Amino acid sequence: MSDETPLSLEFVGTATTVLRLGPFTLLTDPNFLHRGQRAYLGKGLFSKRLTEPSLQPAQLPHLDAVLLSHLHGDHFDRIARRELDRELPILTTPEASRRLGTWGFAGAHGMSTWETVELQEVGWRLRVTSVPGTHAPAVASRILPPVMGTVLELDQGGGPPFRVYITGDTLFRPWLRDVTDRTGPIDAAVVHLGGTRVLGLLVTMDGEQGADLVELLSPAVTVPVHHDDYTVFRSPLPDFLDACRARSLPTQIRPVRRGEAVPLRPGPPARS
């Protein structure tokens, strides 16, 4: 794969990113609520947004697909529901796909764990694989929806693919080792953090759990997201950075501000 091949992440906010992988452009977890608005988390729970996203739907580039880890108001909100193209492929959990279908999103596709969908352009292939995650301890499994992570494998033929792992809103579990055991080594990981607490329960990775995951899977590049946008986030980015530094983890950590882009390819972490 050429060093000129686009491999970048543009950060919009929360877990919303624009991924440019070769000829493919994907949107993750579309959340366009404005600062001060509230996201609905289900079961009567809400959280207020503290930040402003860098883009709105009308400003997005042409998209090949949307990756949606689960259907929560801070991952697919009322603005996305109103303004996104209803024919756009949305790769998500079966539960989220059924709900999106009732909203008229004909391109929604529910993926079972380890299912793979392929996108193709001339000379290129992007394999999208749904990988496991868990959003809550067992005691709270009925409160929060099922979640999935995603592994993206960009392949031009003639060499190993470039792999990007998007964790989704999962807690750390040792069985996440299956991600690399089944798909291969990870070139870049997009890690959902925040230490989100709902009814006092931890439901997304805090800084220590995020470091646990990086230590377990050893991605060459790590991009932390989902850590400062809502009132339910309790573990700020420095928690993760400090935990990784204390363990001397061999990954290139690339924090990214809203509206900026970072390269996913290992090497000098210059922003674009």
Side-chain angles (χ1 to χ4, degrees), residues 12-215:
V12 179
T14 319
T16 310
T17 72
V18 176
L19 296 172
R20 294 177 172 88
L21 304 174
F24 305 99
T25 303
L26 299 97
L27 178 71
T28 66
D29 295 291
N31 178 207
F32 303 106
L33 292 177
H34 298 286
R35 182 172 48 243
Q37 293 183 313
R38 295 196 301 171
Y40 179 56
L41 304 180
K43 308 297 183 182
L45 301 172
F46 292 86
S47 183
K48 185 170 72 172
R49 183 154 196 170
L50 302 173
T51 63
E52 185 69 19
S54 65
L55 295 175
Q56 289 296 303
Q59 298 170 296
L60 292 170
H62 169 78
L63 299 172
D64 294 289
V66 174
L67 307 178
L68 176 61
S69 67
H70 66 298
L71 197 58
H72 257 164
D74 61 334
H75 289 256
F76 194 99
D77 60 29
R78 52 191 176 271
I79 298 175
R81 178 177 174 179
R82 184 176 65 241
E83 298 187 24
L84 286 182
D85 180 357
R86 280 169 164 68
E87 301 302 317
L88 192 62
I90 302 177
L91 305 178
T92 188
T93 64
E95 180 182 84
S97 175
R98 288 191 291 270
R99 176 62 64 85
L100 290 167
T102 67
W103 293 346
F105 286 92
H109 175 68
M111 300 180 69
S112 58
T113 303
W114 304 117
E115 178 182 350
T116 294
V117 170
E118 289 191 1
L119 306 178
Q120 296 196 18
E121 292 285 345
V122 176
W124 294 87
R125 179 179 67 180
L126 184 68
R127 291 168 53 87
V128 182
T129 301
S130 172
V131 300
T134 183
H135 204 348
V139 67
S141 59
R142 295 184 180 181
I143 299 175
L144 298 176
V147 301
M148 73 178 203
T150 310
V151 171
L152 305 169
E153 297 177 279
L154 180 66
D155 190 359
Q156 196 179 14
F162 186 90
R163 292 189 185 92
V164 181
Y165 170 40
I166 304 168
T167 68
D169 275 15
T170 188
L171 293 168
F172 172 78
R173 294 292 185 266
W175 45 254
L176 288 171
R177 166 72 75 181
D178 289 348
V179 172
T180 50
D181 285 348
R182 295 185 62 152
T183 67
I186 300 300
D187 296 290
V190 182
V191 180
H192 292 201
L193 298 170
T196 309
R197 289 192 176 271
V198 174
L199 301 178
L201 293 172
L202 186 70
V203 297
T204 66
M205 292 183 288
D206 58 13
E208 287 293 335
Q209 285 202 7
D212 288 340
L213 184 66
V214 171
E215 187 169 12

